[in-house]
Amino acid sequence: DQQVKQNSPSLSVQEGRISILNCDYTNSMFDYFLWYKKYPAEGPTFLISISSIKDKNEDGRFTVFLNKSAKHLSLHIVPSQPGDSAVYFCAASASSHKLVFGAGTILRVKS
Amino acid sequence: DTAVSQTPKYLVTQMGNDKSIKCEQNLGHDTMYWYKQDSKKFLKIMFSYNNKELIINETVPNRFSPKSPDKAHLNLHINSLELGDSAVYFCASSQVSGVGNTIYFGEGSWLTVV
């Protein structure tokens, strides 16, 4: 039973354009959401997070949007750069030590 | 000055062997984890320790035994390795606060059982 779903296995974007990565969740108890970026042969790197009391959090080129009623969050990268090419994982937790991860989306930014 | 470091990075071993993966964090965090990334690329939690005490054990076979000598170290020992244990194992740590739990991962240990 996947509580966190990333329905797009991959996404291809032109350099300079916007990348939008989507994530849906089913557990209404989740109150903290994170995005991680992962390069091959490396561990996931924390990118940005948002708590359920907010609907937007921005950090440089990265913005995370949370729509609690739709149980949906998205990560926007503007402008996209070739170095952003990686696997992006969405994760969520419910006031616990446990993060539940989505399956990941492979982002390819073409130059 | 790696924050979460784990060794070895690559490990190839035969079925039935016993092996250990070591993990250390220098972030001063009070909670450490082991996650497993399986062949389908899902990252799933195996164990979590808070101040050397086991707080999460996600129905992992008894052949897997974590050991935390202090809050900066969490080692994973695996007995009688099976082919299905082949995966990438990630150690991680966090400092749980009221705001949320941001976990920091090590680089992973690629285990191949042949």
Side-chain angles (χ1 to χ4, degrees):
Chain A
D1 177 30
Q2 272 183 265
Q3 297 186 67
V4 178
K5 298 178 185 178
Q6 294 177 253
N7 292 320
S8 297
S10 65
L11 174 67
S12 189
V13 171
Q14 197 66 36
E15 181 180 5
R17 304 295 289 269
I18 184 171
S19 296
I20 300 176
L21 297 121
N22 293 304
C23 178
D24 297 295
Y25 61 95
T26 57
N27 188 342
S28 57
M29 299 301 290
F30 285 147
D31 58 5
Y32 191 61
F33 305 88
L34 308 91
W35 284 95
Y36 284 83
K37 174 180 176 180
K38 185 181 181 304
Y39 293 118
E42 294 185 12
T45 303
F46 169 70
L47 203 53
I48 193 169
S49 64
I50 188 167
S51 74
S52 58
I53 61 172
K54 293 185 174 182
D55 54 18
K56 178 182 174 181
N57 189 24
E58 192 171 352
D59 183 2
R61 296 185 297 113
F62 303 91
T63 303
V64 56
F65 295 92
L66 176 63
N67 182 335
K68 287 188 291 294
S69 59
K71 294 193 179 67
H72 177 84
L73 66 154
S74 60
L75 174 68
H76 292 210
I77 308 173
V78 182
S80 301
Q81 299 173 354
D84 296 330
S85 298
V87 180
Y88 288 79
F89 290 96
C90 170
S93 69
S95 300
S96 73
H97 297 260
K98 179 175 151 181
L99 279 186
V100 180
F101 282 84
T105 297
I106 300 171
L107 173 65
R108 295 187 186 91
V109 180
K110 298 177 288 186
S111 55
Chain B
D1 60 343
T2 306
V4 181
S5 59
Q6 51 185 111
T7 56
K9 181 152 186 171
Y10 299 102
L11 180 58
V12 180
T13 188
Q14 290 189 325
M15 276 173 43
N17 284 350
D18 302 339
K19 291 294 177 187
S20 292
I21 307 172
K22 296 185 176 180
C23 179
E24 176 181 4
Q25 55 97 3
N26 62 6
L27 295 166
H29 289 164
D30 59 6
T31 304
M32 294 187 72
Y33 312 79
W34 277 105
Y35 275 80
K36 178 181 179 181
Q37 187 176 32
D38 59 23
S39 56
K40 294 183 180 177
K41 306 301 181 188
F42 281 100
L43 269 164
K44 293 184 179 175
I45 191 168
M46 299 173 67
F47 301 102
S48 173
Y49 271 72
N50 178 261
N51 283 317
K52 302 195 304 176
E53 286 194 30
L54 181 66
I55 54 173
I56 295 175
N57 183 342
E58 286 288 304
T59 59
V60 178
N62 291 338
R63 298 182 295 104
F64 290 78
S65 54
K67 287 192 171 45
S68 182
D70 55 62
K71 71 174 193 177
H73 294 84
L74 180 62
N75 303 322
L76 182 65
H77 189 75
I78 314 170
N79 288 328
S80 303
L81 278 155
E82 300 177 357
L83 292 175
D85 297 331
S86 296
V88 186
Y89 293 86
F90 289 99
C91 178
S93 73
S94 70
Q95 184 66 34
V96 179
S97 69
V99 177
N101 188 17
T102 300
I103 293 179
Y104 296 88
F105 286 86
E107 297 215 329
S109 294
W110 271 252
L111 172 65
T112 303
V113 182
V114 296

